[in-house]
Each structure stands twice: as structure tokens, then as C-alpha cells.
């Protein structure tokens, strides 16, 4: 635990001293922060994305959009997807291995109490919906998921299948590959809210049916 705390502290100090937290004020500032490390901008972007999952409550979609501005849609997406996947699995494993002591170091008590109950009761369904839809603290949920009984393999599959879509969307917006009018954003938001509500109401039945079918096969 002492070694883990030392590594986390070193990573946090790196982000702080390098100006990462100040740069998170806007996508333009993030872009300038990453571009200063040229010719190692791609590596810096990957490392920052990875550390932000583990240490900083910075939405990955925000940094993905900044990467899209700097590197283009697909480069930003693949770098972000790789870093976010690795970071998600790492914090899940740390929470599973080190337990509540680790979670309490990186997750505020308020957020932990807000999401812990629903994660325990509807683990797979809630995580799938939260990873697919925006506005959820995905990185925090990965840590809290490590405190539940969900198998590592199932969690890894959820991350691989559900997390890339929001990252691709953000990378495309940042890379100017995609433009969406305000009315379309509103419709997407309403559709997302409807999917979340329906998923929370009926997702358990679908999950049981899928698991039952897989068990028979």
C-alpha cells in the first residue's frame, strides 16, 4: 500500500507541476499543454490520459476533444481508448486488491455514498449505461466497481464494449469530423435519458435472460 501511495503521489505531483490541472480550464488550454511536449506530444497525451483516469477527476471526453483538435479524430481516439482502457482496468484492480482504503484515498465520500448502493444492486446494468452515456464520473465508477463482486472478466468486457463510443464522439467533435446542431444535441440528451431510465427498469431482466442463455449454451 505504501508503494501504491508513493506512485500515486508521484503521478499527482507530475500532473500538478507540469501545469495539467491549470490547463483543464478549457479545451484550448489542454491543447496548448499537450503541444508543448513536441515531438513527444502523442506519448504525453497517452500518459496524461492514463494518469487522469487514475488520479484526476477530469472527464476523458474533455481530453479526447483536445486530442482531436491536436492530432485529428482517429489518432486521438485510439490513444484515448488505449489509455482509458488501461487506466480503467488498473483502478479496478487496485480497488479489488487494496479494498476500501485505496478507494477512500481517491474517491470523495460524497460520490462514494451516492453511487455505491446502486452499483452493488445493479452492477452490470448500471455500469454499462453509465459508460455509454455522458455526465457520469466513469473513472470513479471503475474504482467503486472494484469493491463489488463483479468478475474482472465481465468488467473488462464492459469497458472494452461500452467506453469507446463516447470517446470516439468527443474525438470527432474535437477533430472537426463531426458537427452537431443544438437541437440534435437536445434530442440526443433526451434519448440518452430515456435509455437510462428504461435500462434501469428492465435491464436486470435482459441481463438474466442473456446469462441464462449463455449458461445453456
Amino acid at each position: 500500500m505504501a508503494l501504491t501511495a508513493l506512485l500515486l503521489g508521484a503521478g499527482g505531483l507530475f500532473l500538478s507541476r507540469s501545469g495539467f490541472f491549470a490547463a483543464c480550464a478549457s479545451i484550448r488550454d489542454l491543447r496548448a499543454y499537450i503541444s508543448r511536449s513536441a515531438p513527444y506530444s502523442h506519448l504525453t497525451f497517452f500518459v496524461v490520459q492514463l494518469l487522469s483516469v487514475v488520479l484526476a477527476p477530469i472527464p476523458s471526453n474533455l481530453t479526447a476533444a483536445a486530442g482531436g483538435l491536436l492530432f485529428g479524430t482517429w489518432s486521438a481516439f485510439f490513444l484515448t481508448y488505449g489509455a482509458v482502457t488501461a487506466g480503467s482496468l488498473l483502478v479496478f484492480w487496485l480497488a479489488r486488491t487494496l479494498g476500501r482504503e485505496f478507494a477512500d484515498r481517491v474517491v470523495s465520500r460524497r460520490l462514494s455514498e451516492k453511487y455505491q448502493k446502486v452499483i452493488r444492486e445493479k452492477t452490470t446494468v448500471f455500469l454499462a449505461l453509465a459508460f455509454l452515456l455522458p455526465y457520469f464520473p466513469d473513472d470513479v465508477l471503475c474504482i467503486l466497481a472494484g469493491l463489488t463482486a463483479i468478475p474482472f472478466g465481465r468488467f473488462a468486457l464492459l469497458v472494452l464494449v461500452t467506453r469507446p463510443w463516447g470517446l470516439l464522439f468527443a474525438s470527432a467533435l474535437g477533430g472537426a469530423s463531426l458537427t452537431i446542431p443544438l437541437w440534435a444535441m437536445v434530442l440526443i440528451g433526451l434519448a440518452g435519458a430515456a435509455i437510462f431510465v428504461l435500462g434501469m427498469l428492465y435491464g436486470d431482466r435482459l441481463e438474466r435472460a442473456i446469462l441464462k442463455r449463455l449458461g445453456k449454451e
Side-chain angles (χ1 to χ4, degrees):
M1 186 64 193
L3 178 59
T4 301
L6 179 62
L7 292 175
L8 293 176
L13 183 62
F14 165 76
L15 290 179
S16 178
R17 291 286 180 86
S18 65
F20 171 74
F21 296 113
C24 289
S26 70
I27 292 178
R28 180 174 295 180
D29 290 342
L30 269 174
R31 180 188 180 188
Y33 168 85
I34 295 166
S35 64
R36 285 199 301 268
S37 62
Y40 306 107
S41 301
H42 289 80
L43 177 60
T44 299
F45 181 71
F46 181 89
V47 171
V48 164
Q49 287 284 54
L50 178 61
L51 289 178
S52 68
V53 173
V54 180
L55 295 170
I58 307 300
S60 299
N61 290 340
L62 176 63
T63 45
L69 278 169
L70 190 59
F71 305 121
T73 297
W74 291 107
S75 292
F77 167 68
F78 285 117
L79 287 168
T80 301
Y81 184 37
V84 167
T85 298
S88 299
L89 299 181
L90 174 60
V91 295
F92 178 91
W93 177 79
L94 287 171
R96 177 63 53 87
T97 303
L98 302 176
R100 172 61 66 179
E101 186 178 357
F102 167 74
D104 286 344
R105 286 177 178 270
V106 291
V107 180
S108 70
R109 179 67 63 177
R110 180 183 63 83
L111 280 177
S112 180
E113 292 175 351
K114 180 178 181 180
Y115 290 109
Q116 191 66 68
K117 186 172 185 291
V118 67
I119 289 178
R120 288 190 181 278
E121 293 178 353
K122 296 179 177 287
T123 305
T124 303
V125 172
F126 176 73
L127 288 175
L129 292 170
F131 290 160
L132 277 172
L133 302 174
Y135 310 122
F136 285 96
D138 296 352
D139 304 331
V140 168
L141 296 181
C142 291
I143 297 171
L144 297 179
L147 303 178
T148 70
I150 184 173
F152 181 84
R154 187 186 303 179
F155 175 79
L157 181 62
L158 282 175
V159 170
L160 289 170
V161 172
T162 60
R163 293 210 73 175
W165 308 110
L167 301 177
L168 178 58
F169 183 81
S171 299
L173 284 177
S177 299
L178 181 67
T179 55
I180 301 179
L182 179 60
W183 62 267
M185 293 290 287
V186 172
L187 289 179
I188 291 173
L190 292 174
I195 291 171
F196 180 78
V197 172
L198 291 174
M200 293 298 289
L201 289 174
Y202 303 108
D204 288 340
R205 300 180 189 178
L206 179 61
E207 180 185 358
R208 284 194 296 268
I210 292 174
L211 292 176
K212 184 178 179 180
R213 183 176 180 82
L214 291 175
K216 286 184 177 181
E217 296 175 354

